[in-house]
Amino acid sequence: MTSAIVKEFSELVKTRNGAEEQKTKPHLSPSQIRLFLDCSAKYMFRYIFGIRVPIRSYFIRGRAIHKGIEHNYRQKIESHEDIGLAEVQEAAAAEFESMLAEAVWDEDEDPGKIKDTTIELVSLYHNEVAPNIQPVTAEQFFTIDLGEYTLKGVIDLIDDGGNIRDTKSRGRTPSQREADESLQLTAYAMAYRELTGKKEQSVMLDNLVELKRGPKYVQLQSQRNEQDIRRFKNIANAVFGAIKGGAFCPNPNSMMCSEKNCNFWKICHETF
């Protein structure tokens, strides 16, 4: 039954994405929308001016964890069995090491220790989470037509129960509110419905939390209704309109607005 679900979903995505790829429209992604809402000046420097910045440790860790998880799930779609832990660890470690040359590290950060933590977190996921999941798709790309622009993104995981799952690595225990109010999960739910014509069973955050006493796994499950989808579209349209109109300004109240946390701190203070 799962193979039939995989085939059906793959054909739907292939058909819809193929049609969209023939069109040349500007696009947004859920992460771009989130960035604009947090600080539109940062969006401007990154996507309008095209300023590339070094990647930070949290990005490297997240990418490496995702790679290890993806490496297992891509083969599990057909095999229905998890590969060995060592192979997952190797995939995550290789991804981590491939990004070292691009990274910038804070003075108090130790790349070796961060790599060890990364392997610890992906191991926790593989041992405690993966055995209970049968994937239908892993790292599924989508394109949705929203009129003047398209929405593009990648869904981490859809399981055979129709649950949309996104994996996050964190330094603190998240609250239920983070799943309930996640625009990213709402975007994924909208994409799932557009591509399949069906409503998802639920949206989930699979959180891998790094704590001093050791890592832990926290699952947060939520629902999305039509009002949530409409609200997301309205927000996305407002963001697109602001970008089209060139309305950019810094947000000094953003939690990331500091010389340490923002790579655009210097140019932002020179510009505004």
Side-chain angles (χ1 to χ4, degrees), residues 3-15 136-138 140-142 155 158 191-193 195-196 198:
S3 296
I5 295 173
V6 172
K7 184 177 180 180
E8 178 188 8
F9 189 86
S10 297
E11 288 301 318
L12 284 166
V13 171
K14 186 177 180 180
T15 300
V136 172
T137 67
Q140 177 62 58
F141 176 79
F142 66 83
I155 301 175
I158 300 173
Y192 181 89
R193 297 177 194 190
L195 294 170
T196 68
K198 302 174 184 178

Side-chain angles (χ1 to χ4, degrees), residues 152-196:
K152 295 184 178 183
V154 180
I155 301 175
D156 278 12
L157 177 69
I158 300 173
D159 67 28
D160 63 354
N163 300 295
I164 299 169
R165 312 178 74 119
D166 192 54
T167 304
K168 300 291 187 187
S169 57
R170 304 177 183 273
R172 59 171 180 78
T173 302
S175 67
Q176 179 63 39
R177 181 180 177 184
E178 294 186 45
D180 293 340
E181 298 184 0
S182 169
L183 288 178
Q184 185 177 29
L185 290 180
T186 306
Y188 292 168
M190 181 184 74
Y192 181 89
R193 297 177 194 190
E194 290 280 345
L195 294 170
T196 68

Side-chain angles (χ1 to χ4, degrees), residues 222-250:
S222 188
Q223 298 290 329
R224 293 296 184 270
N225 56 36
E226 287 302 319
Q227 182 178 348
D228 296 322
I229 303 296
R230 285 194 300 272
R231 178 173 169 78
F232 173 81
K233 288 182 178 180
N234 289 337
I235 292 172
N237 288 338
V239 168
F240 180 76
I243 294 170
K244 186 177 178 182
F248 305 103
C249 68

Side-chain angles (χ1 to χ4, degrees), residues 68-226:
I69 293 172
E70 177 191 1
H71 184 70
N72 175 48
Y73 281 150
R74 284 202 181 279
Q75 64 80 36
K76 192 177 182 181
I77 291 172
E78 295 297 335
S79 73
H80 290 230
E81 294 182 0
D82 292 308
I83 57 178
L85 175 60
E87 189 172 342
V88 171
Q89 292 174 330
E90 288 173 8
E95 184 71 10
F96 188 97
E97 290 167 3
S98 72
M99 293 182 284
L100 286 177
E102 306 173 55
V104 59
W105 306 91
D106 292 337
E107 291 183 2
D108 59 346
E109 289 184 323
D110 181 339
K113 290 182 178 179
I114 293 174
K115 180 183 177 181
D116 290 343
T117 300
T118 300
I119 299 305
E120 192 174 18
L121 290 172
V122 78
S123 300
L124 172 67
Y125 184 98
H126 191 70
N127 289 330
E128 295 190 11
V129 185
N132 301 314
I133 295 174
Q134 175 54 45
V136 172
T137 67
E139 299 295 324
Q140 177 62 58
F141 176 79
F142 66 83
T143 301
I144 303 298
D145 189 353
L146 292 178
E148 290 188 79
Y149 64 100
T150 59
L151 181 75
K152 295 184 178 183
V154 180
I155 301 175
D156 278 12
L157 177 69
I158 300 173
D159 67 28
D160 63 354
N163 300 295
I164 299 169
R165 312 178 74 119
D166 192 54
T167 304
K168 300 291 187 187
S169 57
R170 304 177 183 273
R172 59 171 180 78
T173 302
S175 67
Q176 179 63 39
R177 181 180 177 184
E178 294 186 45
D180 293 340
E181 298 184 0
S182 169
L183 288 178
Q184 185 177 29
L185 290 180
T186 306
Y188 292 168
M190 181 184 74
Y192 181 89
R193 297 177 194 190
E194 290 280 345
L195 294 170
T196 68
K198 302 174 184 178
K199 183 183 182 301
E200 71 287 346
Q201 183 65 28
S202 74
V203 292
M204 296 183 183
L205 289 179
D206 291 314
N207 300 282
L208 300 172
V209 187
E210 177 190 357
L211 299 173
K212 290 183 178 180
R213 62 177 180 274
K216 71 174 182 178
Y217 167 67
V218 177
Q219 182 191 93
L220 298 175
Q221 189 169 22
S222 188
Q223 298 290 329
R224 293 296 184 270
N225 56 36
E226 287 302 319

